[in-house]
Amino acid sequence: MELLERARVEWFAAAVGLVVGTSMVFVPYEFGSALFHYVYPHIRPLGSLFLVGAGMTLVALMYPAWPAFVGRVGRALMLAAIASYWWAVCVLPVSPTGTVIYLLLMALLVLERRALRRGRGLLLVFLACVALCFGPLMLWTPQGFVRFALASMGPYVRWVGLLFLLMGTLLAVGLWRRKPWPCRLALGGLALLFLHMTVAVVARRSWSGMSVYGVAALTCALLAAVRRWPTLVGVRWRLLRGMALASVLPILGVGAVTSYLAQRALEVELRGKARQAVAAETAWLEQTASMASSLLRVYSQGPGLIAAVRSGDREGMRERLALLEGPAGLFDAAWLLDEAGDTLMSSARLDWVSGNFADRTYFQDAVKGGAQVLLSRPFLSLANLPFVVFTVPMELGSGRRAFLVGALSLKRLGLQPALASPGYHVEIFDRRDGSLLRETERGNALSRAPVLDLVGAEELTRPEGLVEAFDGTGRRMVVAHARVAGTPWTVVVTARLREAFAPVTRMGAWVVAIAVLAGAIALVLSQWVGRDVAVRLESLRDGFAVLGTPSVEQRVQARGDDEIAQLTLGFNEMAARIDRTQKELREAIAIRDQFLSMASHELRTPLTPLKATLDLLIRQLKAGQGMNPERQRDTIARLNRQVDRLTRLIGDMLDVSRLQSGRFTLTVAPLDLTALAREVVERVQVTRPERAAQLMLELPTEPLVGRWDEQRLDQLLTNLVENALRYSPPGTPVLVRVREEADGVRVEVEDRGIGIPEESLPQLFTPFFRARNATEHYAGGLGLGLAICREIVERHGGRIQARSEGPGKGTCFTVWLPRSAAAEAA
């Protein structure tokens, strides 16, 4: 139920605005019926207002993080467009369906802002209100619904109203009780009802009604069928909305401009063609009237006809009248009248022309008009044939006159092909009484000209003009008219805008179809691309989720050559670095634990005898017992050795701290390395007399002088010698060798001790590291001495190396030093 309650009126309004606005912009002449009489002159601006408002509203709905003014401006434009349309199309022409639906749409668009603060939309409320209003209106005033586009619903409009009332009530009850199944059932029924109304208005080709009811039917169907809306987050949604806007809106915009330009061009062409058609028809009629007048005047002045009339030669008069009609003549009939209006002679085909015609208008006008040729009003002959006649007086001499009359059949005039386009309707009428002379479609003559009911008589009194009007079916038409010079006739050419603009309408329909197709293709492609991108990003997300977990594979497969693939490669490299860092961290933690264990043991080792000896001395002093000098010296020597051991341990830890903080520096001065090596060996022999015999020294005969740090090289040699003694069994030799080489000095410390396993050699100079066999053969130490030795050698610009053939085969440490420390050179 919560899913249905969150449906928003803004989506419905935006969809209606897009469809209605697109129709108004692309096919404005489809809104040319009398229902749109007030809004038609501004149809394109109103459609543009609908499109801009709907577009901004959609952007605000799809991009909620954008500034809030985008949505506010979009809603304001939508409300302005809907209000204008509602007043001009629904209220003024009194359209009940439009009045209800657009009024409710505006009201709920305004109220929805407050409802959204509680997490609820008002779309279901809008649909329920529409149904509850449609139902009673259709039941009580069905005649209001059979007007305009819903005429096809006339026989059963009450039944449709009853169904609307039932579905609206069911939907309202479902909303009130918060039950989803009544709501979905009511929405399904409303979808069918709105679909039925859509079909009804399509049959009458009402674009606006089709848009509103079609959107309403689709909305109800979606709300009834969808159980779970897709989550509008993530890369797929971003691509979807981006592709939708980028593909549909530009096509609609370009298509609207193109359609507008095409419509303007076609409108200019239509008006031009209508004027040309009027001009062509007018010229043809002027030519016909001019030829008829000239021919009749020439015949009236012919000596032979005048002589025949004077002498009463009936055969001569008949022969000459026959020349005016027939295939070679211009007139359909001709006859002669005397001054009293009696028939003197008629053509062979007009046997009905006999008797007195003094009451005819054409005779009376000719008697009054003098010698000019007069064009009479159209009339029905005695045989009920429509004619228009030209009359000219004949001077017979001695004050006598006769009248020559030439008649044009309006039926034959109507059979003449129109010079205008076949899609145009041509009318010719007499301005004096409005009698129709010619009409291309129905062919009626002497009836009232239909154009007089279409356009006001005042407009047609002008010499020429072009106006728009509505025909009997309420469709807009273009009316062009012009007078026929020298006659009381007016030519009118009319064209229906819908038929005239059918090519532009088809073009607009194609543009809209292409935009919809492009949007659909773009949406499908965006989903395809979005799925690929989303899958790869989800793989990265899963990789980040397990990042740092030692037991889980953290590598992500890199596919493609785009930025995501590069990001994946970067992630894999980062994961590898993190793995290495974690491995090093674990090793560092293990080394730290090992160091703490060793350090506590190593510190406790000298402290225990030191404390025991001090306790013994304190007890003896308290008891007043003395100690012989020899034993006293031994006790103090043991205490001194333990203190030295503590000093070395603390010094090594301080040196490691200096190494890690970058404060390990050298003090370089001239130094004899041979003397230093001899001094170190002798000191070790003194401090460790039990191992003095093991130490052997090989030195060059000449001093080896260079610029080194004496204290650090002393520490280096002491560490290497004591380390060799520590891991060598008693009685095995330890050789210290110093040699001069071309590029510096070489120092070797070689023993026959426990040796070093091959796998331990690469890590031998790492702080706190001890080889496996060294831990088994405990000889004390923290594993810092070799690391300090390497740092001392490298700071001097030299190098150190350990070589061993394996466990139990001894070890040889080799140091190469330049003559001058690299630190001083730097």
Side-chain angles (χ1 to χ4, degrees):
M1 186 63 194
E2 184 180 357
L3 173 69
L4 296 175
E5 290 178 343
R6 288 202 306 266
R8 297 168 63 172
V9 176
E10 286 178 319
W11 287 102
F12 179 83
V16 170
L18 279 179
V19 178
V20 175
T22 301
S23 303
M24 288 182 173
V25 171
F26 280 89
V27 284
Y29 294 103
E30 295 295 334
F31 294 84
S33 64
L35 178 64
F36 305 99
H37 174 72
Y38 299 102
V39 77
Y40 179 77
H42 316 288
I43 194 70
R44 286 195 185 97
L46 183 59
S48 302
L49 192 63
F50 265 114
L51 281 180
V52 174
M56 294 184 69
T57 303
L58 281 178
V59 169
L61 289 172
M62 290 191 289
Y63 293 91
W66 280 30
F69 80 89
V70 176
R72 287 196 292 266
V73 172
R75 284 191 300 274
L77 295 178
M78 280 291 297
L79 287 171
I82 294 173
S84 302
Y85 187 86
W86 170 73
W87 180 259
V89 179
C90 303
V91 176
L92 294 179
V94 191
S95 174
T97 54
T99 302
V100 168
I101 198 167
Y102 288 110
L103 181 60
L104 289 173
L105 186 58
M106 289 188 292
L108 293 180
L109 265 179
V110 174
L111 296 175
E112 192 175 49
R113 287 287 93 192
R114 181 177 300 177
L116 288 176
R117 298 191 187 101
R118 300 191 300 271
R120 299 184 61 183
L122 298 180
L123 182 56
L124 289 187
V125 176
F126 167 74
L127 294 173
C129 291
V130 169
L132 290 175
C133 290
F134 275 19
L137 286 174
M138 289 183 176
L139 287 172
W140 294 329
T141 58
Q143 65 277 4
F145 282 83
V146 298
R147 300 172 57 200
F148 306 119
L150 297 178
S152 59
M153 296 177 58
Y156 47 91
V157 66
R158 293 182 183 274
W159 291 103
V160 175
L162 180 61
L163 291 175
F164 263 116
L165 185 59
L166 291 176
M167 294 299 105
T169 304
L170 183 61
L171 182 57
V173 171
L175 284 174
W176 177 51
R177 301 294 298 274
R178 297 180 60 84
K179 299 292 185 180
W181 68 266
C183 294
R184 295 188 185 278
L185 181 61
L187 288 170
L190 289 177
L192 295 176
L193 292 174
F194 282 123
L195 179 62
H196 178 71
M197 295 183 72
T198 304
V199 174
V201 296
V202 166
R204 294 293 299 270
R205 303 181 69 178
S206 174
W207 289 76
S208 60
M210 179 182 65
S211 304
V212 176
Y213 298 139
V215 173
L218 181 60
T219 301
C220 292
L222 287 176
L223 291 175
V226 175
R227 294 294 186 271
R228 179 177 176 272
W229 294 108
T231 304
L232 303 180
V233 294
V235 176
R236 297 186 186 183
W237 166 239
R238 289 179 178 271
L239 286 174
L240 177 66
R241 66 190 183 186
M243 293 289 284
L245 293 177
S247 60
V248 176
L249 293 184
I251 294 177
L252 287 179
V254 173
V257 174
T258 305
S259 177
Y260 171 75
L261 295 177
Q263 289 166 4
R264 295 296 298 175
L266 193 58
E267 183 176 348
V268 172
E269 182 182 1
L270 173 65
R271 292 174 178 267
K273 285 186 176 181
R275 293 181 186 275
Q276 291 175 5
V278 168
E281 293 287 340
T282 302
W284 175 70
L285 286 174
E286 289 177 355
Q287 182 182 8
T288 302
S290 177
M291 290 177 59
S293 299
S294 300
L295 181 62
L296 205 62
R297 184 178 292 108
V298 170
Y299 266 71
S300 67
Q301 297 174 359
L305 180 60
I306 293 175
V309 173
R310 284 176 180 173
S311 62
D313 185 1
R314 298 180 62 84
E315 193 62 30
M317 287 187 290
R318 184 182 296 274
E319 290 177 0
R320 285 166 174 78
L321 289 178
L323 296 175
L324 293 173
E325 61 181 19
L330 179 64
F331 295 96
D332 295 286
W335 60 92
L336 287 168
L337 299 177
D338 60 14
E339 292 179 308
D342 293 325
T343 303
L344 296 175
M345 180 55 63
S346 63
S347 60
R349 290 189 295 173
L350 294 182
D351 296 334
W352 48 268
V353 180
S354 61
N356 185 276
F357 296 97
D359 58 335
R360 292 291 188 181
T361 304
Y362 64 84
F363 177 77
Q364 297 174 2
D365 292 340
V367 171
K368 300 175 184 178
Q372 61 180 346
V373 179
L374 298 177
L375 178 60
S376 70
R377 290 185 176 88
F379 66 95
L380 285 174
S381 67
L382 297 178
N384 287 325
L385 297 176
F387 278 95
V388 62
V389 299
F390 294 82
T391 308
V392 60
M394 297 175 56
E395 297 296 335
L396 301 179
S398 302
R400 295 176 55 199
R401 286 196 306 174
F403 298 92
L404 178 61
V405 182
L408 294 176
S409 172
L410 294 181
K411 284 190 174 181
R412 185 172 68 88
L413 192 65
L415 296 176
Q416 294 291 329
L419 301 177
S421 172
Y424 293 169
H425 177 74
V426 179
E427 294 182 23
I428 303 172
F429 68 93
D430 195 314
R431 293 189 302 273
R432 292 171 294 187
D433 56 3
S435 300
L436 184 65
L437 303 180
R438 179 184 179 192
E439 187 180 19
T440 53
E441 289 185 1
R442 293 182 290 272
N444 296 331
L446 299 185
S447 60
R448 177 175 171 81
V451 72
L452 296 176
D453 299 326
L454 192 64
V455 182
E458 298 79 7
E459 176 65 30
L460 297 178
T461 57
R462 300 175 183 177
E464 63 177 0
L466 190 145
V467 295
E468 291 186 7
F470 293 98
D471 64 3
T473 61
R475 298 299 177 182
R476 187 171 289 270
M477 307 183 71
V478 172
V479 180
H481 62 90
R483 292 181 179 181
V484 181
T487 70
W489 298 345
T490 295
V491 177
V492 180
V493 174
T494 59
R496 289 186 177 180
L497 288 179
R498 174 174 296 206
E499 284 76 10
F501 284 88
V504 178
T505 302
R506 287 192 295 268
M507 184 196 72
W510 276 109
V511 170
V512 174
I514 291 173
V516 173
L517 180 61
I521 294 174
L523 295 183
V524 173
L525 291 179
S526 69
Q527 286 298 294
W528 178 68
V529 175
R531 185 181 297 109
D532 176 66
V533 174
V535 167
R536 291 193 283 167
L537 291 179
E538 288 169 0
S539 301
L540 280 174
R541 181 198 61 194
D542 297 339
F544 275 107
V546 300
L547 193 62
T549 305
S551 60
V552 180
E553 175 64 33
Q554 301 170 7
R555 298 296 183 270
V556 178
Q557 183 181 1
R559 295 180 297 176
D561 56 354
D562 53 5
E563 288 79 0
I564 297 180
Q566 296 173 5
L567 179 63
T568 304
L569 293 176
F571 170 80
N572 290 333
E573 294 176 359
M574 180 186 67
R577 288 196 300 269
I578 292 176
D579 286 344
R580 290 194 299 268
T581 303
Q582 287 186 333
K583 183 178 180 181
E584 294 173 357
L585 182 60
R586 289 192 294 270
E587 292 175 354
I589 293 173
I591 292 173
R592 182 201 63 186
D593 295 340
Q594 183 182 3
F595 163 72
L596 292 175
S597 176
M598 290 188 300
S600 62
H601 184 272
E602 290 295 326
L603 290 173
R604 188 182 299 113
T605 299
L607 286 174
T608 300
L610 183 62
K611 187 176 187 306
T613 304
L614 290 174
D615 288 341
L616 178 62
L617 289 175
I618 291 171
R619 285 196 304 270
Q620 289 177 350
L621 290 175
K622 287 181 178 181
Q625 298 176 355
M627 185 180 296
N628 60 57
E630 185 68 26
R631 187 175 179 182
Q632 189 176 8
R633 283 194 299 271
D634 291 341
T635 301
I636 293 174
R638 286 197 304 271
L639 290 175
N640 188 50
R641 284 196 299 271
Q642 299 303 329
V643 170
D644 289 342
R645 186 172 182 180
L646 283 173
T647 302
R648 286 195 302 273
L649 288 172
I650 294 172
D652 288 346
M653 288 189 288
L654 289 174
D655 286 338
V656 170
S657 175
R658 293 189 188 101
L659 290 175
Q660 294 176 346
S661 62
R663 294 182 288 108
F664 192 90
T665 59
L666 301 180
T667 303
V668 179
L671 173 66
D672 182 2
L673 186 59
T674 301
L676 180 63
R678 185 180 293 112
E679 178 184 348
V680 170
V681 171
E682 290 176 353
R683 185 174 64 246
V684 173
Q685 287 175 338
V686 173
T687 56
R688 304 189 67 174
E690 73 278 3
R691 294 293 185 100
Q694 292 180 248
L695 284 173
M696 293 181 290
L697 185 63
E698 292 184 6
L699 298 175
T701 57
E702 299 293 333
L704 293 178
V705 180
R707 295 185 62 81
W708 300 296
D709 187 324
E710 181 179 359
Q711 180 183 355
R712 294 303 180 185
L713 288 187
D714 185 289
Q715 184 181 3
L716 167 69
L717 293 174
T718 302
N719 282 344
L720 291 178
V721 172
E722 288 190 348
N723 195 62
L725 290 174
R726 186 181 298 119
Y727 293 105
S728 296
T732 57
V734 174
L735 176 62
V736 179
R737 186 183 300 114
V738 179
R739 294 179 182 177
E740 182 179 9
E741 293 188 349
D743 56 349
V745 178
R746 178 174 178 174
V747 180
E748 293 181 346
V749 178
E750 185 177 359
D751 63 67
R752 297 290 185 269
I754 64 174
I756 301 174
E758 183 179 359
E759 67 273 8
S760 299
L761 286 174
Q763 297 180 329
L764 193 61
F765 298 96
T766 303
F768 310 113
F769 176 79
R770 302 185 69 185
R772 172 175 47 81
N773 58 344
T775 57
E776 296 172 356
H777 178 82
Y778 177 73
L782 297 175
L784 299 176
L786 292 179
I788 296 172
C789 290
R790 184 187 65 176
E791 188 68 22
I792 293 172
V793 172
E794 291 180 351
R795 289 297 179 96
H796 279 83
R799 62 186 186 277
I800 185 171
Q801 178 183 348
R803 185 177 71 256
S804 177
E805 296 181 1
K809 297 183 180 180
T811 306
C812 179
F813 287 91
T814 303
V815 177
W816 289 272
L817 292 173
R819 285 290 185 140
S820 179
E824 184 182 42

